Amino acid sequence: MLIAVPDVLNPAQLAECRRLVESADWIDGRATAGHQGARVKDNQQLPVDSPAARQAGAIIVQALSANALFLSAALPLHILPPMFNRYAGGQTFGTHVDGSIRQMPGSGQRLRTDVSCTLFLAGPDEYDGGELVIEDTYGPKSVKLPAGHMILYPSTSLHRVTPVTRGARLASFFWLQSLVRDDARRALLFDLDVAIQRLGAEQAGHPSVVQLTGVYHNLLRQWAEM
Ligand code: NI
């Protein structure tokens, strides 16, 4: 399931994140790639523990904690600290799959990556290329969103970033472990939640709202792991 979450950051939050990361010192992105990823990865990243990455990451996590669409679609249990990358001058990231287990910096706690997130920090008019191409069940999907918008996709999927041939593509990327590991189950719960919200808005007080909300929570009870 690919889900676009619009306006994760408001203009002030977006400007602050950009100010922080644009003035920071970037390093070779291969520093954090696994065996397979390092061969196809060519970009820049901020060190995970840099003050700029931590401060901008905190703004993003704070914004996500109040975003109903994100919470419903991802059902996050643990969110890894947001990281930041930059592609320019033809840089690209070839087809790869994200590692399944990552360690939380600091605590060393291990997380299973269920959902991959890319939050665009540069607008589509600022660079050419730089599409995130995700192999979906129905074929490849090419994604390039406005600044401040985010795409969620299953960490199980193959994906790549096409070469950036003009300007610079700035983004935050991170992973989360979901309460519900299976993408198909998360998609069902999300569809059900959207339908319940719509019914509640259009037919306030309809007894089916309570009944369907019960079904939602009882499915979540069956499937949630923590
Ligand atoms: Ni990736």
Side-chain angles (χ1 to χ4, degrees):
M1 176 176 65
L2 269 60
I3 300 216
V5 184
D7 299 317
V8 168
L9 300 179
N10 65 34
Q13 291 167 325
L14 176 62
E16 180 62 4
C17 282
R18 281 191 64 145
R19 187 189 67 74
L20 286 164
V21 303
E22 279 174 347
S23 56
D25 291 325
W26 294 83
I27 59 169
D28 189 329
R30 276 176 277 244
T32 58
H35 285 298
Q36 188 259 331
R39 289 191 291 117
V40 291
K41 186 176 187 183
D42 177 22
N43 66 4
Q44 290 184 301
Q45 282 179 199
L46 289 188
V48 188
D49 55 356
S50 73
R54 282 199 216 173
Q55 289 170 38
I59 293 171
I60 292 167
V61 170
Q62 173 73 29
L64 289 174
S65 69
N67 189 301
L69 176 56
F70 165 75
L71 296 173
S72 174
L75 297 169
L77 174 62
H78 301 297
I79 302 177
L80 278 149
M83 295 167 70
F84 297 86
N85 60 19
R86 185 177 183 276
Y87 296 78
Q91 286 182 314
T92 181
F93 196 165
T95 302
H96 66 281
V97 68
D98 294 339
S100 51
I101 307 290
R102 296 193 75 93
Q103 279 196 346
M104 190 71 100
S107 74
Q109 179 195 5
R110 286 185 292 180
L111 270 72
R112 188 186 62 234
T113 56
D114 295 321
V115 178
S116 299
C117 313
T118 295
L119 170 61
F120 291 79
L121 296 176
D125 52 329
E126 295 180 74
Y127 59 96
D128 290 335
E131 285 89 2
L132 172 64
V133 181
I134 302 159
E135 301 289 343
D136 190 26
T137 321
Y138 304 107
K141 292 266 171 56
S142 182
V143 180
K144 188 169 178 175
L145 297 178
H149 294 214
M150 184 171 75
I151 185 81
L152 305 179
Y153 57 101
S155 301
T156 48
S157 50
L158 293 174
H159 55 276
R160 64 183 183 273
V161 176
T162 64
V164 172
T165 55
R166 177 190 65 88
R169 177 195 195 269
L170 204 58
S172 174
F173 65 101
F174 53 97
W175 297 271
L176 62 88
Q177 180 170 334
S178 176
L179 288 163
V180 176
R181 169 202 305 235
D182 182 64
D183 183 61
R185 288 179 173 179
R186 274 199 314 277
L188 276 175
L189 287 168
F190 179 65
D191 281 348
L192 182 55
D193 189 35
V194 168
I196 292 168
Q197 300 299 329
R198 188 179 300 151
L199 183 60
E202 290 174 7
Q203 302 275 333
H206 195 289
S208 291
V209 174
V210 177
Q211 194 172 11
L212 289 168
T213 302
V215 172
Y216 176 90
H217 279 285
N218 290 332
L219 282 174
L220 185 55
R221 220 184 307 277
Q222 293 272 340
W223 293 339
E225 305 168 277
M226 57 198 97

